[in-house]
Amino acid sequence: MDGTLVDSSAGVVGAWELFSKAYPGIDVQDILSSAHGIRTVDNLRAHCGLTDPVQLEAEAERFEQAIVDTASGEGRQGIIRLPGVTAIMDELYADPDSKWAICTSATRVYATKALKLGGITVPKVFVAAEDVEKGKPAPDPYVKGAAALGFHTAEARANTIVFEDAPNGILSGKAAGCQTLAVLTSHRRDQVEPCQPTFLVNDLTSVKLRRTEQGQLELKIKSLV
């Protein structure tokens, strides 16, 4: 979701800057270089030293609300829809039975708010941080999402495609046995290419989605690799 459908980077920066006041030992710039695509609870555990499950959950909720609250503050751009997303969403929305899912490292509460701000309707299959025991780069989010769409086997997942922007997400999709398409919206090419995604594009304007006369979805990808 973040970095693929919507850009919430302004709010993420604001949230970490806010949290650095409560946890003065953290290095915001270092965190920003590696935290994308990882569940908030996992980031807080790693960078803020939190271990108590109740405190982790409360702080994760506070952090993700801070993303929403700070995204538009101090002249920031807010949470916005990324280039190329509108055309793809229009095709998916045209058929209520389209088999697509969102599998995000964000919590359900935050992800729902972010999608609303980006003008994106939550799909029927929506896997959030709290829905899996292990988050990305583990395969769990995409295995669960594929199964909910009816793709239960490794062979079936090989015919699905994961759209990702973060190395951890690409590795998660590959571990699940899916094809992967990486967008260079939050990471540099040299950070993404070592993950060896199936396809690599600058953003989703390089991806065209259309419905065939047989009712199938056809993808045309102008890949950089």
Side-chain angles (χ1 to χ4, degrees):
M1 183 196 70
D2 273 332
T4 308
L5 298 178
V6 298
D7 180 2
S8 65
S9 56
V12 172
V13 172
W16 278 117
E17 289 177 347
L18 177 67
F19 265 56
S20 69
K21 298 175 182 178
Y23 303 94
I26 65 176
D27 185 332
V28 173
Q29 292 306 312
D30 179 62
I31 292 171
L32 291 173
S33 70
S34 61
H36 198 71
I38 299 176
R39 295 186 303 178
T40 301
V41 290
D42 294 330
N43 275 323
L44 293 178
R45 185 184 293 111
H47 299 290
C48 299
L50 298 174
T51 56
D52 179 73
V54 176
Q55 186 182 13
L56 263 173
E57 184 176 345
E59 286 292 78
E61 182 177 340
R62 184 169 77 92
F63 183 91
E64 293 191 345
Q65 184 58 50
I67 296 177
V68 176
D69 294 341
T70 65
S72 300
E74 301 181 6
R76 296 188 176 105
Q77 67 178 2
I79 296 176
I80 59 172
R81 191 184 296 199
L82 283 162
V85 171
T86 297
I88 290 176
M89 289 295 103
D90 287 347
E91 285 293 336
L92 292 175
Y93 294 152
D95 182 356
D97 294 322
S98 291
K99 288 186 177 295
W100 72 287
I102 288 178
C103 303
T104 178
S105 294
T107 64
R108 186 172 298 273
V109 170
Y110 163 70
T112 301
K113 291 178 181 177
L115 289 169
K116 183 177 180 180
L117 289 170
I120 297 171
T121 302
V122 176
K124 294 178 182 178
V125 178
F126 184 32
V127 179
E130 60 267 40
D131 296 325
V132 293
E133 183 176 341
K134 295 181 180 179
K136 303 170 187 178
D140 303 36
Y142 287 116
V143 170
K144 188 178 183 71
L149 291 172
F151 306 117
H152 298 280
T153 66
E155 183 179 3
R157 288 194 298 274
N159 289 316
T160 67
I161 185 166
V162 163
F163 288 63
E164 268 288 353
D165 67 301
N168 284 302
I170 298 166
L171 294 175
S172 175
K174 291 182 65 175
C178 307
Q179 298 182 60
T180 53
L181 182 144
V183 291
L184 299 177
T185 54
S186 65
H187 289 75
R188 300 187 311 272
R189 184 169 179 170
D190 64 290
Q191 294 174 306
V192 170
E193 280 192 316
C195 300
Q196 298 182 316
T198 315
F199 306 100
L200 178 65
V201 297
N202 286 317
D203 58 40
L204 291 183
T205 59
S206 295
V207 179
K208 304 301 179 186
L209 179 67
R210 76 174 187 91
R211 195 170 303 280
T212 67
E213 293 181 358
Q214 293 74 34
Q216 296 177 318
L217 290 174
E218 179 184 79
L219 276 173
K220 289 188 176 181
I221 305 164
K222 188 176 181 180
S223 183
L224 298 173
V225 293

